Amino acid sequence: MSQLKYLVIYLSLLAALVLMILPLPDWVQIYRPNWIALTLIYWSMALPKRVGLWFAFFTGIILDTSLGTLLGQHTLPLLLIIYINLNLYQRIRVLALAQQAIYILVLLLIDQVIVGWVEGILGRPPPLLTFFAAPFIGMLIWPWVFVILRDIRRKALLR
Amino acid sequence: MKTIIEVRGATLQALFLIVFSIAMMVVDHRFQHLEIVRTNISLALSPLRYLVSLPATGGNWLNDWFTSHTELLEENESLKAEGRILSARLQKLEILMEENARLRNLLGSSRKIADEVIVAELLSVDQNPYSQLIEINKGSSDGVEMGHAVIDDFGIMGQVIHVNPQSATIILISDPEHAIPVQFIRSGTRSVAFGRGSTRQLELRYLPATADIMVDDELVTSGLGGRFPPDYPVARVTAISEDKVRGFVSVLAEPKARLDSSREVLVIKPRQ
């Protein structure tokens, strides 16, 4: 039973993965926020002992396979932002949601820059301006992600 | 509070995993060793993929269901007419093929004429907006192999770059990483068409300024390089721009295949 409740974490990541690979029209595609990163950041902030680097690593590999990107292209930035988060979570947790959102924006931008950088190395540099739209969308929806996941966590009695 | 040792341990772990994922990217980019990891994970995730493709499939199904009777009758009529025209053309084609085979025999050439095909359906379109990959519902268990060419009713779409047991990934000719050897039907000039990341455009770079090219010229596969079978339609020239300084022309062409809207595709198996 004590292990069963952690299933919630996996289920929420699975839901995030579905949102990541749900087919959308091309023009909406570039504004798709990084649901996986948002969900991972939340859990590593709430349960840093449980959701850490290894979690980020395996989630990243699954994300890379589903998106058809290089194995590691999304893993590397996820590792980086989760590492940053593991060092800062105690200070971030006490901030107001709006302030947290700015922190989230920074993390998502780091993620996006690395993904775009690798695309550039592979010879298909992404369009400059629209490429950075997704992290801003991610910042805007963070409060909702936070509240929803927090309620789920409380219902599942995770602490 | 965290102790120093805990922090240091996490840093080491992070460094190790980051270096590991960089190494993984390099290996994945250069070699094929990680294919097995990819195959297994995508196999495990295939129910998810199916789930995600449900809304689109359901939409199509509903559409089919509600197509009215008269529309079906009309469609039936026009299909019958089309069938008659096609069969008339086919008769001519058969005669031509026989003649062609006879002439080739005379010439002592042993080029194959018909290729074997596998009919497949589109499963999903790759979600990475910066590359152009599609997924089809036939895989190694149906005989699809890496490198097979993929066409739709109008022309070449791309080639197989990754095979799972029940599905395969196709790179479209419009992917920026893809290049296809082509030939102009009218003049016979050979070139290579590069993808530009848009499903409407291919680019032929560095053609000599003296090359005989006109707008509306048709491009077919040249068969050089051995990946694509020869003489399949690829694209139509839409624009020619001259680089006066360097003496090159750069040509833009529109792919014949409906890269963004075809649902049924054919995988061509080269004859052994």
Side-chain angles (χ1 to χ4, degrees), chain A residues 24-138:
Chain A
L24 288 178
D26 269 350
W27 64 272
V28 194
Q29 193 88 270
I30 45 171
Y31 300 109
R32 189 200 297 265
N34 194 337
W35 295 99
I36 288 276
L38 288 171
T39 317
L40 259 187
I41 294 171
Y42 175 79
W43 286 118
S44 86
M45 209 185 279
L47 306 163
K49 287 254 159 58
R50 181 156 285 268
V51 180
L53 294 165
W54 283 103
F55 225 99
F57 181 74
F58 288 115
T59 313
I61 289 194
I62 289 173
L63 184 59
D64 278 324
T65 346
S66 329
L67 294 182
T69 45
L70 278 188
L71 281 183
Q73 190 173 350
H74 287 86
T75 315
L76 172 63
L78 278 182
L79 281 170
L80 207 60
I81 61 178
I82 294 305
Y83 175 68
I84 296 173
N85 195 43
L86 285 179
N87 280 295
L88 294 181
Y89 72 93
Q90 283 159 324
R91 286 176 231 174
I92 304 299
R93 267 208 289 220
V94 297
L95 295 180
L97 271 182
Q99 289 167 314
Q100 271 185 16
I102 294 170
Y103 166 73
I104 297 298
L105 173 68
V106 174
L107 291 190
L108 291 179
L109 277 174
I110 293 174
D111 184 287
Q112 192 79 339
V113 165
I114 296 177
V115 171
W117 189 31
V118 175
E119 287 289 330
I121 293 175
L122 293 176
R124 36 182 195 228
L128 253 187
L129 275 181
T130 50
F131 190 67
F132 291 107
F136 283 92
I137 308 275

Side-chain angles (χ1 to χ4, degrees), chain A residues 17 21-23 29 32 53-54 57 65-67 69-72 76 80 83 86 119 122 124 127 131, chain B residues 2 10-11 13-14 17-18 20-21 24-25 28-29 34 38 41 45 48-49 52 126-128 130 177:
Chain A
L17 187 64
I21 61 177
L22 197 70
Q29 193 88 270
R32 189 200 297 265
L53 294 165
W54 283 103
F57 181 74
T65 346
S66 329
L67 294 182
T69 45
L70 278 188
L71 281 183
L76 172 63
L80 207 60
Y83 175 68
L86 285 179
E119 287 289 330
L122 293 176
R124 36 182 195 228
F131 190 67
Chain B
K2 288 172 293 183
T11 308
Q13 201 184 17
L17 285 174
I18 284 173
F20 188 75
S21 37
M24 207 162 54
M25 272 193 269
D28 194 26
H29 186 47
L34 290 174
R38 240 172 228 280
I41 297 179
L45 289 179
L48 207 64
R49 229 170 248 234
V52 163
D126 174 43
Q127 297 311 310
N128 183 357
Y130 309 106
E177 287 203 337

Side-chain angles (χ1 to χ4, degrees), chain B residues 174-187:
Chain B
S174 54
D175 189 283
E177 287 203 337
H178 194 269
I180 173 170
V182 292
Q183 186 165 24
F184 289 85
I185 296 186
R186 194 175 53 78
S187 62

